[in-house]
Short mmCIF file of all heavy atoms in Angstrom, two decimals:
data_model
loop_
_atom_site.label_atom_id
_atom_site.label_comp_id
_atom_site.label_asym_id
_atom_site.label_seq_id
_atom_site.Cartn_x
_atom_site.Cartn_y
_atom_site.Cartn_z
N HIS A 1 87.20 75.65 118.22
CA HIS A 1 87.06 75.93 116.80
C HIS A 1 87.19 77.41 116.47
O HIS A 1 87.55 77.77 115.35
CB HIS A 1 85.72 75.39 116.30
CG HIS A 1 85.52 73.95 116.63
ND1 HIS A 1 84.45 73.49 117.36
CD2 HIS A 1 86.27 72.85 116.36
CE1 HIS A 1 84.53 72.18 117.51
NE2 HIS A 1 85.63 71.77 116.91
N GLU A 2 86.91 78.27 117.44
CA GLU A 2 86.99 79.71 117.21
C GLU A 2 88.43 80.16 116.96
O GLU A 2 88.67 81.29 116.48
CB GLU A 2 86.40 80.48 118.40
CG GLU A 2 87.27 80.51 119.66
CD GLU A 2 87.26 79.22 120.46
OE1 GLU A 2 86.50 78.29 120.10
OE2 GLU A 2 88.01 79.14 121.46
N ARG A 3 89.41 79.33 117.27
CA ARG A 3 90.81 79.69 117.05
C ARG A 3 91.22 79.61 115.59
O ARG A 3 92.31 80.06 115.22
CB ARG A 3 91.73 78.77 117.87
CG ARG A 3 91.51 78.83 119.36
CD ARG A 3 91.85 80.20 119.90
NE ARG A 3 91.74 80.24 121.35
CZ ARG A 3 91.57 81.34 122.06
NH1 ARG A 3 91.51 82.51 121.43
NH2 ARG A 3 91.49 81.29 123.36
N LEU A 4 90.38 79.03 114.75
CA LEU A 4 90.69 78.88 113.33
C LEU A 4 90.35 80.18 112.60
O LEU A 4 89.21 80.43 112.24
CB LEU A 4 89.91 77.70 112.73
CG LEU A 4 90.26 76.33 113.31
CD1 LEU A 4 89.13 75.34 113.06
CD2 LEU A 4 91.56 75.81 112.72
N GLN A 5 91.34 81.02 112.41
CA GLN A 5 91.15 82.33 111.79
C GLN A 5 91.73 82.34 110.38
O GLN A 5 92.84 81.84 110.16
CB GLN A 5 91.83 83.41 112.63
CG GLN A 5 91.35 83.48 114.07
CD GLN A 5 89.90 83.90 114.17
OE1 GLN A 5 89.45 84.81 113.47
NE2 GLN A 5 89.15 83.23 115.04
N ILE A 6 90.98 82.92 109.44
CA ILE A 6 91.48 83.04 108.07
C ILE A 6 92.08 84.43 107.90
O ILE A 6 91.43 85.44 108.17
CB ILE A 6 90.37 82.79 107.05
CG1 ILE A 6 89.88 81.34 107.16
CG2 ILE A 6 90.88 83.06 105.63
CD1 ILE A 6 88.80 80.96 106.19
N GLU A 7 93.34 84.47 107.46
CA GLU A 7 94.07 85.72 107.32
C GLU A 7 94.70 85.80 105.93
O GLU A 7 94.91 84.79 105.27
CB GLU A 7 95.17 85.82 108.39
CG GLU A 7 94.62 85.77 109.82
CD GLU A 7 95.72 85.82 110.86
OE1 GLU A 7 96.92 85.91 110.49
OE2 GLU A 7 95.39 85.78 112.07
N GLU A 8 95.04 87.01 105.52
CA GLU A 8 95.74 87.22 104.27
C GLU A 8 97.24 87.28 104.53
O GLU A 8 97.68 87.68 105.61
CB GLU A 8 95.27 88.50 103.59
CG GLU A 8 93.82 88.43 103.12
CD GLU A 8 93.43 89.64 102.30
OE1 GLU A 8 94.22 90.62 102.26
OE2 GLU A 8 92.34 89.63 101.70
N ALA A 9 98.01 86.86 103.54
CA ALA A 9 99.47 86.86 103.66
C ALA A 9 100.07 87.08 102.28
O ALA A 9 99.41 86.87 101.25
CB ALA A 9 99.95 85.53 104.25
N PRO A 10 101.33 87.50 102.21
CA PRO A 10 101.98 87.69 100.90
C PRO A 10 102.07 86.39 100.12
O PRO A 10 102.21 85.31 100.69
CB PRO A 10 103.37 88.21 101.27
CG PRO A 10 103.24 88.74 102.65
CD PRO A 10 102.21 87.89 103.32
N THR A 11 102.02 86.51 98.81
CA THR A 11 102.19 85.34 97.95
C THR A 11 103.61 84.80 98.11
O THR A 11 104.58 85.55 97.98
CB THR A 11 101.95 85.73 96.48
OG1 THR A 11 100.60 86.17 96.33
CG2 THR A 11 102.20 84.53 95.56
N PRO A 12 103.75 83.51 98.42
CA PRO A 12 105.09 82.95 98.62
C PRO A 12 105.82 82.72 97.30
O PRO A 12 105.20 82.48 96.26
CB PRO A 12 104.81 81.62 99.33
CG PRO A 12 103.44 81.21 98.82
CD PRO A 12 102.68 82.51 98.63
N THR A 13 107.13 82.79 97.35
CA THR A 13 107.97 82.59 96.17
C THR A 13 108.82 81.34 96.37
O THR A 13 109.49 81.20 97.40
CB THR A 13 108.90 83.80 95.95
OG1 THR A 13 108.10 84.97 95.77
CG2 THR A 13 109.78 83.59 94.72
N PRO A 14 108.82 80.42 95.41
CA PRO A 14 109.62 79.20 95.58
C PRO A 14 111.11 79.47 95.45
O PRO A 14 111.54 80.28 94.63
CB PRO A 14 109.12 78.29 94.44
CG PRO A 14 108.59 79.24 93.41
CD PRO A 14 108.04 80.41 94.16
N GLY A 15 111.88 78.80 96.29
CA GLY A 15 113.33 78.87 96.19
C GLY A 15 113.85 77.71 95.36
O GLY A 15 113.08 76.95 94.75
N PRO A 16 115.15 77.52 95.31
CA PRO A 16 115.72 76.39 94.56
C PRO A 16 115.16 75.05 95.04
O PRO A 16 115.05 74.80 96.23
CB PRO A 16 117.22 76.50 94.88
CG PRO A 16 117.43 77.94 95.23
CD PRO A 16 116.19 78.37 95.93
N GLY A 17 114.77 74.23 94.08
CA GLY A 17 114.23 72.90 94.41
C GLY A 17 112.80 72.90 94.89
O GLY A 17 112.30 71.86 95.32
N GLU A 18 112.12 74.05 94.77
CA GLU A 18 110.74 74.15 95.28
C GLU A 18 109.75 74.50 94.17
O GLU A 18 110.12 75.01 93.11
CB GLU A 18 110.67 75.23 96.37
CG GLU A 18 111.46 74.92 97.62
CD GLU A 18 111.36 76.02 98.65
OE1 GLU A 18 111.19 77.20 98.26
OE2 GLU A 18 111.47 75.71 99.86
N LEU A 19 108.48 74.23 94.46
CA LEU A 19 107.37 74.59 93.59
C LEU A 19 106.36 75.41 94.38
O LEU A 19 106.22 75.23 95.60
CB LEU A 19 106.65 73.34 93.08
CG LEU A 19 107.38 72.35 92.19
CD1 LEU A 19 106.50 71.12 91.96
CD2 LEU A 19 107.72 73.00 90.86
N ARG A 20 105.65 76.27 93.68
CA ARG A 20 104.47 76.90 94.30
C ARG A 20 103.21 76.30 93.67
O ARG A 20 103.12 76.13 92.45
CB ARG A 20 104.46 78.41 94.10
CG ARG A 20 103.28 79.08 94.86
CD ARG A 20 103.29 80.59 94.73
NE ARG A 20 102.97 81.00 93.37
CZ ARG A 20 103.54 82.04 92.75
NH1 ARG A 20 104.49 82.72 93.36
NH2 ARG A 20 103.19 82.36 91.51
N ILE A 21 102.27 75.95 94.53
CA ILE A 21 101.02 75.36 94.09
C ILE A 21 99.89 76.33 94.39
O ILE A 21 99.78 76.84 95.51
CB ILE A 21 100.76 74.02 94.80
CG1 ILE A 21 101.88 73.03 94.50
CG2 ILE A 21 99.41 73.44 94.41
CD1 ILE A 21 101.81 71.76 95.34
N ASP A 22 99.06 76.61 93.38
CA ASP A 22 97.79 77.29 93.62
C ASP A 22 96.82 76.22 94.10
O ASP A 22 96.40 75.35 93.33
CB ASP A 22 97.27 77.96 92.35
CG ASP A 22 98.06 79.23 92.00
OD1 ASP A 22 98.87 79.68 92.84
OD2 ASP A 22 97.87 79.75 90.89
N VAL A 23 96.51 76.26 95.37
CA VAL A 23 95.80 75.16 96.03
C VAL A 23 94.30 75.22 95.71
O VAL A 23 93.66 76.27 95.88
CB VAL A 23 96.03 75.21 97.55
CG1 VAL A 23 95.21 74.15 98.25
CG2 VAL A 23 97.52 75.04 97.85
N ALA A 24 93.76 74.11 95.27
CA ALA A 24 92.32 73.99 95.02
C ALA A 24 91.62 73.24 96.14
O ALA A 24 90.44 73.49 96.41
CB ALA A 24 92.07 73.28 93.70
N ALA A 25 92.32 72.32 96.78
CA ALA A 25 91.70 71.47 97.81
C ALA A 25 92.73 71.10 98.86
O ALA A 25 93.93 70.96 98.55
CB ALA A 25 91.11 70.20 97.16
N ILE A 26 92.25 70.93 100.09
CA ILE A 26 93.12 70.68 101.24
C ILE A 26 92.55 69.52 102.04
O ILE A 26 91.38 69.54 102.44
CB ILE A 26 93.18 71.92 102.16
CG1 ILE A 26 93.65 73.16 101.38
CG2 ILE A 26 94.05 71.66 103.38
CD1 ILE A 26 93.22 74.47 102.03
N GLY A 27 93.35 68.50 102.28
CA GLY A 27 92.90 67.39 103.10
C GLY A 27 92.84 67.78 104.58
O GLY A 27 93.72 68.47 105.09
N VAL A 28 91.79 67.34 105.25
CA VAL A 28 91.61 67.58 106.68
C VAL A 28 91.87 66.27 107.42
O VAL A 28 91.29 65.24 107.08
CB VAL A 28 90.19 68.10 107.00
CG1 VAL A 28 90.02 68.34 108.50
CG2 VAL A 28 89.91 69.38 106.23
N ASN A 29 92.73 66.31 108.42
CA ASN A 29 93.06 65.12 109.19
C ASN A 29 92.82 65.38 110.67
O ASN A 29 92.86 66.52 111.14
CB ASN A 29 94.54 64.76 108.97
CG ASN A 29 94.80 64.33 107.54
OD1 ASN A 29 94.49 63.23 107.14
ND2 ASN A 29 95.38 65.23 106.74
N TYR A 30 92.59 64.30 111.42
CA TYR A 30 92.33 64.46 112.85
C TYR A 30 93.52 65.12 113.54
O TYR A 30 93.35 65.86 114.51
CB TYR A 30 92.04 63.10 113.48
CG TYR A 30 91.43 63.23 114.86
CD1 TYR A 30 90.08 63.45 115.02
CD2 TYR A 30 92.23 63.14 116.00
CE1 TYR A 30 89.51 63.59 116.28
CE2 TYR A 30 91.68 63.29 117.26
CZ TYR A 30 90.33 63.51 117.40
OH TYR A 30 89.79 63.66 118.64
#
């Protein structure tokens, strides 16, 4: 679990045919 590191990164820009989502919630799967 210690490998899960939170880092900052540049804001991504959508290309043609894409959307950017401001994420409020993230599903966790096995």
Side-chain angles (χ1 to χ4, degrees):
H1 306 123
E2 74 283 355
R3 299 296 185 202
L4 296 159
Q5 302 295 318
I6 296 181
E7 301 178 0
E8 293 187 350
T11 298
T13 301
E18 295 179 330
L19 297 173
R20 185 177 69 217
I21 299 171
D22 286 349
V23 175
I26 304 157
V28 180
N29 295 283
Y30 194 82

